[in-house]
Amino acid sequence: MKKLTKEEVAKLVVRKGKSTPVRTGVMHLQPGEFLLIEKSDWNQQNGPGQMLSRLTKKTGMEFKLQTVDSDGGGWIVERIK
């Protein structure tokens, strides 16, 4: 166990409920920030587009999704709004 300061707690990324690490990472993006989701991070059959659509409807955040084909593939998510 370890005591934490308020500054250390503010830097931590905290999951909500049974949320996946990818969804948690996307939810903590600020406008203009990017997140690389590697294929090894994503265990669903389809890409993260559907998850991003649901988050947009639920939270009002807007995202741009791009597919990466080099280095094993994956997706780049940019938070727009």
Side-chain angles (χ1 to χ4, degrees):
M1 250 190 297
K2 175 183 169 184
K3 284 189 175 184
L4 300 174
T5 64
K6 288 183 181 183
E7 293 80 20
E8 291 173 324
V9 172
K11 293 178 183 177
L12 295 176
V13 177
V14 181
R15 284 198 295 171
K16 184 176 180 181
K18 294 183 178 182
S19 180
T20 65
V22 173
R23 181 182 169 109
T24 301
V26 169
M27 290 294 294
H28 284 86
L29 286 177
Q30 297 299 318
E33 290 185 330
F34 295 86
L35 180 68
L36 173 63
I37 302 172
E38 297 174 352
K39 290 246 184 192
S40 59
D41 297 332
W42 191 255
N43 59 7
Q44 303 292 319
Q45 182 177 1
N46 297 322
Q50 186 177 24
M51 175 194 67
L52 295 174
S53 295
R54 278 189 255 122
L55 284 176
T56 298
K57 289 178 185 176
K58 183 177 179 181
T59 65
M61 297 178 186
E62 290 183 20
F63 303 96
K64 180 180 177 183
L65 180 66
Q66 298 174 332
T67 303
V68 177
D69 288 329
S70 61
D71 296 332
W75 301 271
I76 295 175
V77 177
E78 177 186 6
R79 180 166 172 204
I80 309 252
K81 175 180 153 188

